[in-house]
Amino acid sequence: NSLLTTIATTEDEAINAEVDEDLDPSLWIGLMGVGIILFLGIVFWLRLVYSRFEITGAFPVEFGMLTFGSVVGGFAVFQDHKFVENSSEWVFVSLAGLLILGGIGVVAYASWKAKVDASQHQEGASKVQTGGEGDNAAYSANGLLPLSGRKV
């Protein structure tokens, strides 16, 4: 991380001391307010997502977006782009971003395909239940397999 590898000089310390004196406490109060609102929003949306979707489908997307956001945030906030000096490093950074987004896409596609397959399976099961055996045929607990010889 660039914050850990950067060595401050005496000039940098003097500049930072001047900047720190000019900061208004309302800035910190505002930042804390925004942080609390964002935290509560995250808690709300994570509870909503995990109540509606399986964790195996939602967690990889969440983790991938967090990782991608961290990389972009590092470039934007901490100006890590200044430490990427040659084109081969930019290629690797771009490939890493594409791999993260590609992984999110694979998980999203697999989740969508599983949902479509499940809905098609349920439609097929309802067709099986309504035809063939008559009105008084009994079905297994999941409603998919007829129980032969039993009458309702």
Side-chain angles (χ1 to χ4, degrees):
N1 190 342
S2 63
L3 292 176
L4 298 176
T5 58
T6 304
I7 299 173
T9 62
T10 55
E11 289 178 8
D12 291 337
E13 290 174 1
I15 292 170
N16 287 337
E18 290 175 13
V19 171
D20 288 341
E21 292 173 5
D22 294 335
L23 291 178
D24 186 20
S26 63
L27 171 69
W28 297 108
I29 293 169
L31 287 176
M32 287 297 291
V34 169
I36 290 170
I37 290 170
L38 289 175
F39 176 75
L40 293 175
I42 289 169
V43 169
F44 171 76
W45 285 110
L46 284 180
R47 289 185 66 191
L48 182 68
V49 166
Y50 289 135
S51 69
R52 293 186 182 178
F53 302 104
E54 291 184 25
I55 194 167
T56 56
F59 185 71
V61 173
E62 174 197 346
F63 194 69
M65 287 305 296
L66 177 68
T67 304
F68 186 73
S70 296
V71 171
V72 172
F75 281 117
V77 175
F78 301 116
Q79 298 179 356
D80 285 344
H81 58 86
K82 292 180 179 177
F83 298 98
V84 181
E85 297 175 351
N86 54 29
S87 60
S88 65
E89 291 175 354
W90 278 111
V91 168
F92 287 128
V93 168
S94 300
L95 281 175
L98 289 174
L99 283 173
I100 291 169
L101 293 176
I104 292 169
V106 167
V107 170
Y109 175 76
S111 177
W112 171 80
K113 181 134 175 63
K115 187 176 181 179
V116 168
D117 290 345
S119 69
Q120 288 175 350
H121 183 69
Q122 286 178 346
E123 287 175 9
S126 67
K127 288 179 184 176
V128 169
Q129 284 182 350
T130 58
E133 296 289 326
D135 289 339
N136 53 358
Y139 288 88
S140 63
N142 65 4
L144 298 179
L145 301 173
L147 300 173
S148 59
R150 292 190 181 183
K151 301 287 180 187
V152 178

